[in-house]
Amino acid sequence: MRIYLDNSATTRPYAEVGAAMAACMRDNWGNPGGIHSFGRDAYAAMNEAREQVGALINARADEIYFTGGGTEADNLAIMGVAGRFARGHIITTAVEHAAVLNCCRRLQERGFAVTYLPPDGEGRITVGQVAEALRPDTLLVSVMHANNEVGTIMPVAEIGKMLAGRGVLLHTDAVQTVGKIAVDVAALGVDMLTVSGHKINGPKGVGALYVRHGVDIEPIILGGGQERGLRSGTENMPGIIGLGQAAELTRKRWRRQADEAKRARDCFVAELGRLLDGWVINGAWDDQARLPGNLHLSFRGVDGAALLLLLDMAGVAASAASACSSGRTEPSHVLQAMQAEDWRLRSALRLTFGWENTVQEAKRAAQIVAEQVKWLRQAENAADDGAE
Ligand code: PLP
């Protein structure tokens, strides 16, 4: 039995998504820019997908711009705002995804000033920190809706309220929250919001940026002027149709799915607590402050990379930090920013449960984790004894 506990890295596409994408390629393969019936059919399907994505986050369809994924949507938001100004100040957090952090670093090289707000020990920043960091030349605040590693939910709605009427744009990366908690652009008070297809049981390589009506940003990809000039290139029709289908199903199912993911996660935690000592949960541990399926643990006396490999061999798929940059063994920038002790950095393991994970799987996974951690600790002790 293989148990997939890496749902924050990617999710299994809904069967309906695959079917809709195949039908698009087979029956509706026209270029939506065409003025003939083939083009019009494709255009109509694309706009239905735009409606579906808009409905998921309470936005109007014409505020949705399709992109090549969450990374590109983050780039478009940040570089798109900066493109309108020669200089200025940006506020973000030290725990953002690399798609945001690396844009900010690039803009610093170009003369922009950036404040990276440090989180508390649970990975959270406060509205007060954002208010204090504001400067007369602040153009943009970009704060993720929830962190992809430790699952901490950020106070984006409070930040939105605080910024209202100040002439500072607010972007949030909601890649990890769509489909897990309520995401409503009006309630959050954001000007821009990032969505990724493959985190909501949709396809990879497609996402969307919500840009509030009236907000003016520059494109980062130039060409034929598709997506109303904001994202050129012939549209990724199968991806867009798949994203629309995933958005539609996620809108109907997310509350139940989030409960199921949480139930599996909580069952894992209870079982691991029964079987093993010497581990801690990184990040907040309360339902209001943490994503329902997220679990981030550190184990005393264990090397996280070794544990990950052993778990894989035993059939449990997890991740060491953020799997988007897998293959990397540097300590997590998120845990570092949270000032976690060295042993926590070295032994970190992220397990992200999805609605498909059963309680039986969660229990079995906890047993496997406990066995492998005990085995590693024994091996470590034996090595220490041998060295004496
Ligand atoms: N932002 C966050 C918070 C993420 O977790 C990820 C991917 O894991 C991304 C952005 C990038 O999205 P994509 O994989 O669609 O480029």
Side-chain angles (χ1 to χ4, degrees), residues 253-267 292-293 353-359 362:
R253 299 176 183 173
W254 75 264
R255 283 176 204 278
R256 185 170 46 79
Q257 292 184 349
D259 284 349
E260 280 164 7
K262 179 176 143 39
R263 193 174 55 182
R265 180 200 61 186
D266 292 352
C267 167
F353 296 77
W355 56 272
E356 288 188 286
N357 291 124
T358 61
V359 161

Side-chain angles (χ1 to χ4, degrees), residues 8-10 67-74 95-100 144-149 173-177 194-199 203-207 322-325 350:
S8 280
T10 200
T67 66
T71 299
E72 189 190 311
D74 282 345
V95 296
E96 296 295 309
H97 189 270
V100 167
M144 67 201 321
H145 196 192
N147 184 263
N148 48 306
E149 294 188 24
D173 176 337
V175 165
Q176 292 293 343
T177 52
T194 295
V195 177
S196 170
H198 70 111
K199 313 287 183 173
K204 294 172 184 55
V206 65
S322 80
C324 311
S325 45
R350 183 184 74 173

Side-chain angles (χ1 to χ4, degrees), residues 217-233:
I217 63 172
E218 297 262 299
I220 53 171
I221 299 179
L222 304 176
Q226 287 88 346
E227 293 298 288
R228 287 147 292 149
L230 215 47
R231 205 281 186 174
S232 284

Side-chain angles (χ1 to χ4, degrees), residues 82-105:
R84 292 184 41 232
F85 302 89
R87 290 277 185 283
H89 175 233
I90 296 168
I91 300 171
T92 188
T93 80
V95 296
E96 296 295 309
H97 189 270
V100 167
L101 289 176
N102 286 337
C103 286
C104 290
R105 288 184 192 125

Side-chain angles (χ1 to χ4, degrees), residues 149-202:
E149 294 188 24
V150 293
T152 304
I153 300 167
M154 298 291 197
V156 175
E158 284 175 54
I159 297 170
K161 274 201 196 86
M162 185 273 292
L163 289 178
R166 292 195 188 223
V168 177
L169 293 173
L170 175 60
H171 165 248
T172 192
D173 176 337
V175 165
Q176 292 293 343
T177 52
V178 175
K180 296 179 190 133
I181 59 174
V183 178
D184 175 324
V185 292
L188 291 173
V190 292
D191 298 291
M192 292 174 287
L193 179 142
T194 295
V195 177
S196 170
H198 70 111
K199 313 287 183 173
I200 56 167
N201 305 96

Side-chain angles (χ1 to χ4, degrees), residues 273-318:
R274 223 172 48 77
L275 297 172
L276 188 71
D277 292 326
W279 57 277
V280 292
I281 297 175
N282 299 309
W285 188 242
D286 96 65
D287 289 349
Q288 297 313 309
R290 190 183 193 107
L291 291 177
N294 175 288
L295 191 58
H296 200 286
L297 306 175
S298 291
F299 301 88
R300 285 198 180 273
V302 166
D303 174 58
L307 178 58
L308 198 62
L309 288 177
L310 288 178
L311 289 179
D312 182 39
M313 288 195 286
V316 174

